[in-house]
Structure formats: structure tokens, C-alpha cells
Amino acid sequence: MRKLTVDIEKCSNNYCARCTDESLNGIVVVTNKSLELIKSDISDAIKFHVEGCVKDGDALPEWLVRNDYTIVFKYNVKDKIMPANHINARLQPLQ
């Protein structure tokens, strides 16, 4: 299973998560005041981005279109948010 790395850092009043993996054919960024919510937000945003790319006819790797990947969160060390962990972001295949 492939992995998408998401960088999370603390901004002034909230958290920022971004995924810059070349497979995405773009960059996905979200912000939220809650660390737990930002994890689900970035997962949803990646899925939304992939769906849009597919609808636009963009070429994406099949594993990405099938949602066959894991999101690995990489936390900004200087902010000492928490130790790195990951979630499984297996989502339903696109119809």
C-alpha cells in the first residue's frame, strides 16, 4: 500500500495540514483549530481533490484513484505538537 505524507504544523491560531505528493497532481491544504479534526479534513480534501482530477480527465495513479493508500502524518517538530502517527485512509472507490 502506498503512503501519502501530510505535514501538520501549528500556525498562530490553528493547525495547517498540507500534502504535496507528486502523485496528487497538485497540492492539498486545509486548516482547522482542532488537531483531530484537521486529520479528517485533510483526508476528505484529498479524496475531493482526486475526484475532481478524475472528473477533469487528469491522469492519476490507479492506486490513488482506488483510494488504496495510507496517510502518514508528519508533525512539525519545533512546535512539539505530538509524536508522529498515521491513520489508514482507505476510502470507497470512485464510482
Side-chain angles (χ1 to χ4, degrees), residues 36-51:
E36 290 307 312
L37 289 177
I38 203 161
K39 292 178 188 178
S40 62
D41 288 353
I42 193 71
S43 180
D44 292 344
I46 291 170
K47 182 181 177 195
F48 182 74
H49 176 78
V50 169
E51 288 172 349

Side-chain angles (χ1 to χ4, degrees), residues 45-94:
I46 291 170
K47 182 181 177 195
F48 182 74
H49 176 78
V50 169
E51 288 172 349
C53 287
V54 169
K55 286 180 183 175
D56 289 346
D58 297 340
L60 294 175
E62 189 59 33
W63 60 267
L64 192 58
V65 175
R66 287 191 321 264
N67 301 304
D68 187 22
Y69 56 85
T70 298
I71 295 177
V72 178
F73 293 103
K74 181 178 160 191
Y75 298 94
N76 184 326
V77 177
K78 75 174 186 172
D79 292 331
K80 298 180 183 170
I81 298 170
M82 63 174 36
N85 67 357
H86 69 276
I87 64 166
N88 186 333
R90 264 186 203 245
L91 303 171
Q92 297 300 317
L94 297 174

